[in-house]
Amino acid sequence: MYELLLIRYGEIGTKGKNRHVFEQRLQANIQSALKGLGIEEVERAHARLYVPLKADLEAVVKRLQRVFGISSFSPVVRVPLDPQAIEKAAIEVMAAGLRQEQPDGGRLTFKVDTRRANKGFPITSPVMSSNLGAVLLQEFPQLAVDVHQPQLTVQVEIRDQYSYVYTERIPGPGGLPVGVSGKGVLLLSGGIDSPVAGYRMMKRGVRPIAVHFHSYPFTSERSKEKVLELARVLSTYGGPIPVHVVHFTEIQKAINQHCPGRLMITIMRRMMLRLAEAIARREGAGALITGESLGQVASQTMESILVTNAVVELPVFRPLIGADKMEIVELAQEIGTYKLSIQPYEDCCTIFVPRHPEIYPELSEVENAEAKLPVEALIQEALERTELIICGEE
Ligand code: ATP
Ligand code: MG
């Protein structure tokens, strides 16, 4: 019966001049999310999007629930601006609603809610609602009106060209369409936190470009595969993700050889940020993103963050900085990265790392230690050996 899905977007409607950029981006993101379902056109009219329901509703909804920027959607019946056609649609929609709902004690409570955006339509909203209410009561004896807490609400929207009639409102994921906030380089490890950090920024409209530091042969091919798998999961929320796999082994060996063990992690993280920033500049990304959470490990104290941040100019987004591990785990489970993240493959951060890393590193001391390293040459060499893999389906 439903041939159309109405899509609402919340926040992007409030963005003034940028509005059409947001709308076009959302439209394009919806189109690519629905690829393969035989739905070519996504129609845009009056701050709404409409998708023809040519595929199974559940399959369409499942895909759309991963498109950031959508606040909610409703399967709707679209009819001309004609009271009789609206009446007929209301009866149809109610019949479908009655098939779904389990009326308790035999009676189902309902109300009709009309919105008349088109003031040229001759019947006012309250009159329309009460007329339709009467028609429905007559048609379905098991109904009772309850305007305060109805089990079912028949919504009627009267717009410029058509009227829309529906009962259901399915929540969308919210957020901003991926791409509208620009690109960000996501430092993606195989751990629990960084995929969640990437998801969080995607939800704010950032298109991620991932960078992974790999320490082959100290870390296995399988540990790299795991990171690519994580990128594929993230890609289901916003399209293919390029992953730059940086060979980090030589850098780690050099640090291990020339710098004090307790500064190993700090210096490693400074090298990671420098490399990530170099890739960001090449790719036109405006920020770096990490999965750091304050106090979680030695490298995530204020002092450590100050010292690592000092080597880059781009802002570093740390969307999980104030999150507890349990909250991060919950979100990881929800978005589908948790099971992959807990697979036990070694991470480059665990190689050569001392038992007691410095929790409060000092910038001058770290800079002195680093002076023994050919930083520029190491970075250039690592960049040249970087491998690019696109993860996720177009
Ligand atoms: P995660 O769960 O994301 O691995 P973590 O709690 O293990 O984080 P660290 O190992 O200190 O914390 O890493 C902090 C952040 O640095 C990570 O969230 C990630 O953004 C980045 N990072 C760490 N290791 C790598 C790596 N091998 N490749 C890319 N980024 C990394
Ligand atoms: Mg980690």
Side-chain angles (χ1 to χ4, degrees):
M1 167 186 104
Y2 290 110
E3 289 172 0
L4 203 63
L5 195 65
L6 178 162
I7 300 175
R8 300 177 194 82
Y9 38 90
E11 205 172 344
I12 72 174
T14 67
K15 295 283 176 185
K17 270 195 300 190
N18 285 335
R19 186 177 172 138
H20 75 280
V21 176
F22 284 69
E23 290 176 330
Q24 278 169 0
R25 176 45 55 205
L26 181 60
Q27 194 176 6
N29 289 357
I30 289 173
Q31 234 142 9
S32 51
L34 295 178
K35 244 184 214 145
L37 291 182
I39 297 168
E40 282 83 37
E41 74 279 32
V42 175
E43 215 183 292
R44 179 152 54 97
H46 306 291
R48 296 286 174 79
L49 292 160
Y50 298 95
V51 171
L53 270 179
K54 290 185 195 155
D56 178 40
L57 173 66
E58 235 172 276
V60 175
V61 166
K62 213 169 143 214
R63 301 259 188 114
L64 292 180
Q65 261 161 346
R66 294 183 174 219
V67 179
F68 295 126
I70 296 178
S71 61
S72 67
F73 26 74
S74 297
V76 297
V77 173
R78 172 153 79 183
V79 289
L81 295 169
D82 161 35
Q84 244 126 46
I86 297 172
E87 227 172 70
K88 195 166 154 269
I91 292 171
E92 260 182 67
V93 159
M94 178 54 87
L98 282 170
R99 280 195 294 274
Q100 273 187 14
E101 299 282 330
Q102 293 297 333
D104 37 319
R107 287 234 156 172
L108 185 97
T109 59
F110 84 107
K111 75 168 178 181
V112 180
D113 180 24
T114 308
R115 304 255 162 97
R116 188 177 56 132
N118 174 359
K119 299 296 178 204
F121 188 77
I123 307 168
T124 64
S125 300
V127 173
M128 201 62 202
S129 292
S130 77
N131 287 353
L132 289 171
V135 167
L136 290 171
L137 278 173
Q138 202 171 31
E139 186 75 24
F140 303 100
Q142 66 271 51
L143 290 179
V145 173
D146 180 346
V147 291
H148 301 295
Q149 276 192 310
Q151 288 164 286
L152 213 137
T153 301
V154 175
Q155 297 276 351
V156 179
E157 291 188 16
I158 296 165
R159 301 198 156 243
D160 286 348
Q161 286 178 300
Y162 298 102
S163 316
Y164 299 89
V165 185
Y166 58 91
T167 57
E168 235 187 319
R169 189 184 279 253
I170 306 163
L176 302 173
V178 169
V180 296
S181 301
K183 290 188 263 185
V185 164
L186 169 66
L187 285 84
L188 186 61
S189 69
I192 295 169
D193 305 331
S194 48
V196 175
Y199 170 89
R200 277 283 184 86
M201 295 321 300
M202 289 169 79
K203 188 164 179 177
R204 295 310 300 167
V206 174
R207 184 169 293 292
I209 294 161
V211 173
H212 176 63
F213 301 98
H214 191 231
S215 307
Y216 190 79
F218 301 106
T219 56
S220 62
E221 268 308 299
R222 194 59 196 84
S223 78
K224 175 174 117 187
E225 233 350 277
K226 170 183 167 182
V227 171
L228 301 179
E229 285 291 324
L230 284 167
R232 280 182 204 113
V233 174
L234 286 181
S235 79
T236 62
Y237 295 92
I241 299 179
V243 182
H244 295 262
V245 179
V246 180
H247 288 265
F248 204 52
T249 319
E250 297 313 314
I251 292 179
Q252 282 181 300
K253 279 188 189 162
I255 302 173
N256 187 46
Q257 203 177 347
H258 299 289
C259 307
R262 65 190 175 78
L263 297 181
M264 176 93 199
I265 290 204
T266 309
I267 296 175
M268 235 166 68
R269 298 202 52 75
R270 280 161 65 95
M271 293 303 276
M272 284 184 182
L273 282 193
R274 287 184 178 109
L275 284 158
E277 186 174 60
I279 290 169
R281 300 256 189 237
R282 267 196 209 164
E283 296 275 350
L288 310 179
I289 302 160
T290 75
E292 288 160 302
S293 156
L294 192 64
Q296 200 186 76
V297 291
S299 63
Q300 297 174 15
T301 61
M302 282 190 199
E303 292 77 3
S304 293
I305 289 173
L306 176 76
V307 172
T308 43
N309 230 21
V311 296
V312 290
E313 280 175 358
L314 287 180
V316 181
F317 293 159
R318 298 178 174 87
L320 306 181
I321 198 72
D324 285 353
K325 195 72 189 186
M326 270 320 293
E327 293 167 338
I328 302 171
V329 164
E330 263 171 43
L331 194 49
Q333 284 167 333
E334 207 177 289
I335 69 176
T337 55
Y338 184 71
K339 278 200 186 129
L340 279 168
S341 288
I342 58 171
Q343 285 178 6
Y345 295 102
E346 60 296 285
D347 180 73
C348 76
C349 289
T350 54
I351 316 275
F352 305 121
V353 161
R355 288 248 301 272
H356 301 291
E358 184 58 64
I359 299 175
Y360 308 115
E362 256 188 56
L363 185 57
S364 57
E365 195 195 357
V366 172
E367 284 174 343
N368 283 339
E370 243 179 37
K372 302 201 176 67
L373 293 178
V375 171
E376 261 319 298
L378 286 170
I379 285 180
Q380 283 318 314
E381 195 201 344
L383 286 176
E384 274 159 33
R385 292 189 57 194
T386 294
E387 186 188 354
L388 174 61
I389 299 145
I390 309 290
C391 293
E393 281 168 39
E394 191 44 77

